[in-house]
Amino acid sequence: MAKTSTRVSFGLYALELKQDSSPVTATPLQPFSKVQDLRTDNASSRPYASFEPDFWLLDGGYKFLPADPVSVHVGLMSLEMSDAAGVFADPPVLTVAFQQVHTADGLTLRFSNYTGDYASSVAVAYYDAAEALIREDTYAVGSTEFSTGQEVANIKKIVITFQTTNRPYRYLRLAGIDYGELISFEGTSIKAAAVIEETDPLSAELRVNALDLTIFSQDAQFSIINPEGHYAALQERQPLAVYEVVDNQSVYIGTFYLDEWENQSDTVSLFHAVDLVGVLDRQPYRGGIWLGAGIALEDLLEVVLGSIYVPYELDAALVGTVITGWLPAGSVREALQQLAFAVGASVSCARSGSIKIYKTKVAADEPDEVTITRSQMGQGSPLALRSQVTGVEVTAHNYVAGTEDVELYDDTLAAGTHEIVFSEPAHSLSATGATISESGANYAVLEVAAPGAVVLSGKRYIDTTSVTRITTADLTAGVRPNVLKITDAYLVSNTNVAAVAGRVYAYFQQRYRQRMRLFAPAAEVGQVVVVDTLYSKQIRGLIEKMSIDLAGGFVAEVEVVGVQNE
Amino acid sequence: MSRWVTPITDRTLADIQNRTVKAFLNVSDWVRIHGNTQQVQALIRILSGFEVSITSLSTPTVTHFPTAGEINSMIADIDRLREAACLPPALGVVTLKHDYQPGLGAAAPDYEDVNAWEQDLLLIRALFARAAESLIYCGAAGAGQPRFWQNRWRRPAYIEPDAGAIRTPRTGSAVSGSGLTRQNGWRKYA
């Protein structure tokens, strides 16, 4: 029986320090390394394969480096490798300068979480505005996340020297730097920890993974009514990194961001946190319209996610997919859902610090990645039959620029800047009573010099719709027709509607839902598995949901949707 | 050309989870796999005369970041040898994926894939020597040639010398149509 425990790291970081920081280094770096990733926080958690001794673990997670370094975000990666003792002959030095003078509760360094590589000896020197040394300390680092936990005031510059690596012959891999304290809870401090991981293969909705955590702490900093306490810092988008230690091997479960906090008693606190997809639900996106030649998926994702420094991984099979149609104004999560549904992609943050966008898998047609035998399951593994979908109707939207002038807005506005958001896309905008400082297909920003009537005019895009149907032939008598209708996928046009309809229909023909309980599962959400089921049969399906009790022994309630394995 | 080195074909999930020496792909693994590929290429050339082209790959160093193209070339070499060996899939040889792409969203080889690369090399080496015995060496075949005519070039199967028998004919390569007297030229007496 494997021994398990949970570890959760809270980041109490001062975001204003990061925004004011300018990390630079004179140390030679790998040509694809960008020190600015440390400021924008978009270094990927996934490693690229290299021939450093005993580095390239054959778990399929070590990827090949793209030829174009622009798309690579690894943070700081040194050109020099440490020696057989893990010592750098010319230690890499990172200098972080600030525009303003700051006080930091500590300095947190995040190294290569996935590979377990870190700098084992780090010297940190703080300087004030007069370039005078405030203090200098050398730390022995023991994990991929390290916090000095030392408050320093009047900082204008920090110089960090990475002297050794924890393993021999390693490049320095620094994925993130934060200015604040990192607090870790593990063992008996964690009363309960449960994670729900979900994915919708079709991306008909973008599901949010969630963490529910109960901790025991006598630290007054965890009082919800302490204005100087941690709660004040944790209100913002602060990461909670979650790990499960199985037989002394640390398994990275994911990074979550605090959503709600409740103090049940003086010592017990409850946290509800969501993953990056949940964070994107609060991030506005103005949308747009792409007609004619459209836009490549990777270019649009760079606009939607890259511009707000959200790390993501795009399946190579989806690169080059052309998008045409309309994205309404809304949240980034909604935009990503529309995109993923139209191109046939699934989205998940499970076991990753970034958003993974990969080609939709219809389990019946995919090779299995993991086999789950009856001996691996707990007692009671019910098999259910989902209701039969006898057909699908998908509406294609085909937009052309209209020529008729319409009034988009007519009202009195106060002096100042106002953003008008449209319910339908428009073009050729003009305004009276205000000037348009910025506009798009879904919005116009108006500058009103003096209060008064403002009229915003423009031309609509005309949406011509057509419906594509796929229905089950030769329905047996007594089967009630159940046709699924999809009408509001605005990036589905005549060019991709047949593929979308086929995909949706194929997915819903997978009627078996297998539930099971697994202990310390190797399988993950989004993987195709073959599962032993009742009557000595097997189900080939995709794991759509895992409810994992981390503190209770890494026990997972798993849901698989698929077909009978032939 | 390097010598044949026993391939590693038994990596398991437990190796990956416990990070044993077999769990990683190192320069030494690359050297072994590429060296064994050259060995199998030479074996096929010697036994059948087929010249299977393999990519000239330089030996990486520990500082190298392998590209998808390099790995694809290495696997494609093995796959071409598999095709040239004409071994039936029932014997365990498998078609290898060699269209890996760069990028975080792309698939990358795992331990089962690497097992398959090395297993194919192992099987080709072990089985092709025997399979080659069944090859018909026919120079340039002509339409309508009778079977016995083509048999002029047939290479007889190698027979293990009988340790016990004294008057065992040892014929090196027998000449089609030669008489017993001529074959006795290689007969070995105790």
Side-chain angles (χ1 to χ4, degrees), chain A residues 94 141 270:
Chain A
L94 176 70
V141 179
L270 266 63

Side-chain angles (χ1 to χ4, degrees), chain A residues 87-249:
Chain A
V87 178
F88 285 108
D90 185 11
V93 177
L94 176 70
T95 303
V96 184
F98 300 98
Q99 293 286 323
Q100 309 292 322
V101 173
H102 295 282
T103 296
D105 292 337
L107 179 73
T108 297
L109 302 171
R110 285 181 280 118
F111 297 97
S112 183
N113 202 5
Y114 194 96
T115 67
D117 289 296
Y118 53 89
S120 51
S121 176
V122 177
V124 183
Y126 299 89
Y127 294 86
D128 64 14
E131 286 277 323
L133 181 67
I134 302 169
R135 65 177 297 151
E136 185 171 17
D137 303 282
T138 300
Y139 301 94
V141 179
S143 72
T144 56
E145 284 184 327
F146 169 73
S147 184
T148 61
Q150 212 147 34
E151 185 178 324
V152 183
N154 301 320
I155 308 166
K156 192 78 180 359
K157 188 173 81 173
I158 305 174
V159 178
I160 309 164
T161 308
F162 303 92
Q163 294 162 333
T164 60
T165 56
N166 65 317
R167 291 171 181 153
Y169 302 113
R170 284 290 184 272
Y171 297 117
L172 170 68
R173 289 176 168 84
L174 181 66
I177 179 166
D178 286 293
Y179 310 95
E181 200 177 349
L182 183 74
I183 302 170
S184 288
F185 285 94
E186 52 193 323
T188 52
S189 298
I190 297 176
K191 308 297 286 180
V195 165
I196 295 178
E197 298 174 333
E198 287 186 272
T199 187
D200 176 359
L202 292 174
S203 293
E205 61 174 330
L206 234 52
R207 295 178 186 167
V208 176
N209 297 339
L211 164 74
D212 284 301
L213 178 71
T214 306
I215 60 164
F216 173 84
S217 174
Q218 292 175 313
D219 186 349
Q221 291 286 320
F222 274 91
S223 165
I224 205 165
I225 53 171
N226 180 356
E228 301 296 317
H230 296 329
Y231 181 65
L234 278 170
Q235 285 181 92
E236 295 178 70
R237 184 185 137 181
Q238 302 286 5
L240 282 73
V242 181
Y243 304 83
E244 184 73 0
V245 182
V246 182
D247 284 340
N248 296 323
Q249 290 289 338

